[in-house]
Amino acid sequence: MSSKAIEITLMGRTYSIACPQGQEAALRHVANNLEKQLTSLKARTNNISREEIAIMAALNIGYELLEEQQKNQDYIRQMDNKIGLLQSTLEDALVERATKPDEKSL
């Protein structure tokens, strides 16, 4: 897949970032969200460097990602349990039906 460079601006600096073709909008969306977080952190803190702001943003984003991954794992476990219950219920119903005497032959 080919890529092209797009420019994004974070905290007043412009960066040229290689981006796979067709993914430009997604990268711009991520960059906009990152810029919001960086701006918010900068407004809440006094006299810290760009590097420290970037580290704080990375930690915040990493924590948010971890929370989402945990929610996803919980959802997968819930769905696995529901699927298991559904399979068990269907198997029980099929066994019960197979062991009942045929009403037509009575």
Side-chain angles (χ1 to χ4, degrees):
M1 181 180 277
S2 64
S3 64
K4 69 176 197 175
I6 65 167
E7 289 187 354
I8 60 169
T9 302
L10 299 171
M11 294 180 58
R13 287 194 181 163
T14 300
Y15 301 89
S16 183
I17 307 291
C19 180
Q21 199 112 25
Q23 297 298 314
E24 298 89 355
L27 179 57
R28 289 187 196 286
H29 180 75
V30 169
N32 287 336
N33 287 342
L34 178 57
E35 176 66 13
K36 288 176 188 173
Q37 188 156 26
L38 292 169
T39 301
S40 173
L41 285 168
K42 186 176 181 181
R44 287 185 280 153
T45 57
N46 293 325
N47 299 324
I48 66 171
S49 70
R50 287 177 184 268
E51 181 180 272
E52 291 170 315
I53 292 171
I55 290 170
M56 290 172 61
L59 288 171
N60 287 340
I61 292 167
Y63 179 74
E64 291 170 6
L65 176 61
L66 179 63
E67 281 184 317
E68 290 303 316
Q69 288 172 334
Q70 288 173 339
K71 286 180 192 176
N72 193 28
Q73 289 300 316
D74 290 344
Y75 179 77
I76 289 170
R77 274 191 291 280
Q78 289 174 358
M79 289 302 107
D80 284 346
N81 289 339
K82 288 180 181 183
I83 290 169
L85 180 60
L86 181 59
Q87 285 175 327
S88 176
T89 301
L90 287 172
E91 288 169 2
D92 291 347
L94 289 172
V95 167
E96 183 179 321
R97 183 174 182 196
T99 57
K100 272 188 176 179
D102 190 7
E103 293 178 6
K104 292 181 184 176
S105 63
L106 292 178

